Amino acid sequence: MTESNSGKLGARRCRVALLPDCHVGRNPDSGVPSAPTRRLYGCARQLLETYLQKLASSVDAIFLLGDTLDPADHENLNWLKAQVQSCSVPVHILIGNHETFGSVNASVFHRELGLPDGGHYVTRVNGVPFVMLATPTQASLVSESSGSAWLQSKLTDLAEEDTFCCAHYSLLLHPCVQGWRNDGMQILDSSKFLLNLLEEYPRMRAWIAGHKNVPSKVEHNGILHLLSPQLIQAPCGYRILEIHEHGISSRTYNIDESHLALLSREAYGSEYLERHGRMEDRNFDWLYPELSSSCSQD
């Protein structure tokens, strides 16, 4: 949607920050790299701590969309718990595939962070429901699984409300990972089943994913699918989502530590432009489809 729609979004209901794929834990003591590198692993802890504190003053909640820890061992998990507990706004966490690589299994990860054992839960931000889905592997949420049954039950419960799903994995291939860039590790195995399920609920609004961190948006059968940047890899940034009465507003920001961001950008060379994402995917206002259609006829 164009900026002409900004006045049609209606009152703001909530404002949330998306921080996917922070990758805290690998080479934690290496600090600022001495040469360009695609991922700033040694700065991951510093950057996540900084932006949890910074964003807490301007948002209603912060979402960590998987691969926050890499790996999920007891040291990293205890550090993350302390950061979440000291944050002045709620921090909502999902497990990702890299959190399965460490000494802490999924049950311990969820228990230590106060999450249900299966990792699925519904949280509300100023009344807006977000369905949080644990997808540590591509086999998560296959049809006839307990997880997919749980999802269907919650979508039914929330059928009369504008609803948003958050997960680590995507349901469709965004342009940034199509063609030769598709390594077969982009989307859930059950993506077709889940897409069909979501489309049964007209007020299902968005699937918000991590895992691949090029700022991207795709509208598929009336549902918005989003990818967002990560702090430690070019373009080194984050997304702020505002949920309004009649749609969504997105703004994407680069980290303030431009000297760190430059190290990752330089490592990508000419590929950086693609990782930056299209401006219309970074910053946009999106009216819910039924309202968009009515506006276009006015």
Side-chain angles (χ1 to χ4, degrees), residues 135-201:
T135 56
T137 73
Q138 288 178 271
S140 304
L141 300 176
V142 294
S143 62
E144 301 184 1
S145 67
S146 59
S148 64
W150 181 92
L151 172 59
Q152 185 164 8
S153 173
K154 296 305 175 184
L155 291 176
T156 300
D157 292 344
L158 299 168
E160 301 304 316
E161 301 183 65
D162 296 322
T163 302
F164 303 83
C165 284
C166 296
H168 186 59
Y169 280 97
S170 300
L171 294 185
L172 47 76
L173 286 176
H174 286 248
C176 58
V177 289
Q178 291 179 1
W180 65 269
R181 301 175 186 85
N182 178 16
D183 60 5
M185 300 174 65
Q186 316 297 334
I187 62 176
L188 290 174
D189 296 340
S190 55
S191 59
K192 290 183 179 179
F193 160 76
L194 292 169
L195 286 169
N196 290 334
L197 173 62
L198 298 181
E199 289 161 17
E200 295 177 13
Y201 298 89

Side-chain angles (χ1 to χ4, degrees), residues 220-250:
H220 180 79
N221 291 345
I223 297 173
L224 189 68
H225 294 257
L226 280 181
L227 300 177
S228 300
Q230 63 191 138
L231 296 175
I232 70 159
Q233 188 171 9
C236 296
Y238 54 91
R239 191 188 294 274
I240 301 290
L241 276 189
E242 293 185 350
I243 309 301
H244 291 253
E245 288 180 326
H246 308 308
I248 300 170
S249 179
S250 166

